[in-house]
Amino acid sequence: MPDTDADPFRERSAPAFSVRKAILGADFRFDSASAALLQVVETAYAGLPPHRLPVTAPELHIELRLLPRRAAPPGAEPLPVRTQSGAGLLCGVMDASNYVVLAPAQRQALVVTSEDMLDQPYHLRYELVEFAVFTLATRVLGLVPLHGACVGRQGRGVLLLGESGAGKSTLALHSLLHGLDFLAEDAVFVQPDTLLATGVANYLHVQADTLHHVGDQVARHWLDCSPRIHRRSGVEKCEADLRQGPGKLAAAPLDLVGAVFVSAEEAGDADVLLGPVRLGDAVARLRANQSYAATQPGWDRFEQQLIRRGVHELRRGHHPRDAVAALHGLLDGVH
């Protein structure tokens, strides 16, 4: 243990290990004295397509620091992350032993976590490590961060938006199983000047009760054998590793042809699932659906270009593959 009197801020405790990953068009270096924390990084980002954007890719540095185990009840859910900012820093805090501090101007971040969080890999990865990765890349590269999914084909992509429970993840799953390239399921990052979209295609989260339409036995086995995670909302989902499943991950950023709001409503005409959203409605819906992204510097350019390319609404058909067929038509320019 370090001498806390001589080095109270742990400024001289140099990390012993380092790994590098290409994520979201940037080069990340992760340093830590804990091999277990770097294994979390490997589990999250190993084997992903190394997306590159048409900008100079800077190196971003994240240090991960492990603190002793807290005296917390076994299996207790971690506190939710609270965010704060000031003095050029961005912070996400669970408690005194689990927090993230980001300095975008210096392209650096510090992730501090306690040993007991290693028993909560979903929360550790999603709420601390990915928080640091996504926020740092967004701020340094000037990307627009969107809550949504993205699939495509031959370098062209469609952004899938909608309220929670509308079926974005289920549609993304069936798009993967029916020939479309998978870019992201929960978080999409778009370069506002080019509308190139990137993401991290590591895991897919779908509710078990939506899997009855999956007829392919290989795909069903992959999903059935996936671990179950519990979202803070209380919903249980399958966490399927996309790098071990069927289908194809997008090898490069996708050029967005437009956006689709996924609706939980059934279409009145089973042959016409996809329809345009009027200009004024499209602007209002985009801003309401992406309230955080709409405050970011690149939003206006992103919104203007996306509106020009087209915003649509997709209602449900008899089977998810009907919706996938509509996305194929949109990507082909037939809608």
Side-chain angles (χ1 to χ4, degrees):
M1 295 294 293
D3 185 341
T4 54
D5 291 332
D7 187 18
F9 295 102
R10 298 187 65 178
E11 296 171 278
R12 293 186 291 279
S13 55
F17 309 105
S18 181
V19 297
R20 295 176 184 270
K21 298 294 178 186
I23 312 169
L24 302 177
D27 293 315
F28 278 85
R29 189 182 89 232
F30 298 87
D31 294 335
S32 183
S34 167
L37 286 182
L38 289 184
Q39 185 56 51
V40 172
V41 173
E42 285 290 342
T43 301
Y45 303 116
L48 292 173
H51 288 187
R52 292 297 181 188
L53 295 166
V55 294
T56 301
E59 181 176 85
L60 309 183
H61 176 213
I62 296 180
E63 182 180 343
L64 300 106
R65 188 171 294 174
L66 190 64
L67 298 185
R69 182 176 292 271
R70 298 172 301 167
E77 185 176 71
L79 293 171
V81 171
R82 295 165 294 167
T83 54
Q84 191 57 267
S85 67
L89 302 175
L90 302 174
C91 304
V93 181
M94 280 184 177
D95 55 44
S97 299
N98 296 279
Y99 54 88
V100 178
V101 181
L102 300 106
Q106 285 73 44
R107 301 175 179 174
Q108 296 187 69
L110 171 67
V111 176
V112 177
T113 190
S114 53
E115 287 182 330
D116 51 292
M117 285 295 289
L118 294 172
D119 302 327
Q120 304 262 10
Y122 169 74
H123 290 290
L124 172 56
R125 186 193 78 244
Y126 188 71
E127 297 183 344
L128 294 176
V129 177
E130 287 197 351
F131 176 85
V133 168
F134 288 174
T135 307
L136 202 57
T138 297
R139 297 303 176 98
V140 174
L141 297 179
L143 304 176
V144 176
L146 302 166
H147 176 57
C150 185
V151 295
R153 191 181 69 243
Q154 297 178 344
R156 292 159 60 84
V158 58
L159 184 63
L160 305 179
L161 306 174
E163 301 301 325
S164 178
K168 298 186 298 295
S169 297
T170 301
L171 178 56
L173 166 63
H174 285 275
S175 297
L176 174 75
L177 299 180
H178 291 88
L180 292 181
D181 298 344
F182 193 104
L183 184 126
E185 173 253 336
D186 190 56
V188 181
F189 302 86
V190 181
Q191 194 177 52
D193 293 324
T194 62
L195 280 198
L196 286 174
T198 183
V200 176
N202 48 8
Y203 296 99
L204 171 72
H205 298 97
V206 289
Q207 290 181 240
D209 60 5
T210 66
L211 303 182
H212 58 278
H213 284 301
V214 178
D216 181 86
Q217 293 303 308
V218 173
R220 189 58 186 260
H221 178 75
W222 166 59
L223 294 164
D224 287 341
C225 294
S226 298
R228 267 44 176 179
I229 58 97
H230 288 86
R231 288 274 171 90
R232 290 194 180 275
S233 63
V235 175
E236 181 182 271
K237 293 197 171 187
C238 304
E239 185 176 64
D241 192 330
L242 289 158
R243 295 157 293 183
Q244 299 175 6
K248 180 183 176 184
L249 305 184
L254 299 178
D255 184 15
L256 293 179
V257 302
V260 167
F261 279 97
V262 180
S263 172
E265 296 180 11
E266 294 212 2
D269 184 344
D271 295 325
V272 184
L273 306 186
L274 192 68
V277 177
R278 292 184 302 177
L279 176 61
D281 292 340
V283 170
R285 290 183 67 172
L286 283 170
R287 295 184 181 185
N289 186 252
Q290 302 292 328
S291 56
Y292 171 68
T295 67
Q296 299 306 298
W299 174 265
D300 288 342
R301 297 194 307 281
F302 163 78
E303 181 185 70
Q304 291 164 8
Q305 294 204 78
L306 189 65
I307 292 292
R308 282 198 294 269
R309 298 193 185 187
V311 177
H312 303 79
E313 183 173 54
L314 180 66
R315 291 183 170 85
R316 292 190 178 182
H318 296 307
H319 192 281
R321 63 172 170 262
D322 299 331
V324 177
L327 295 183
H328 274 279
L330 184 60
L331 289 164
D332 291 336
V334 180
H335 57 274

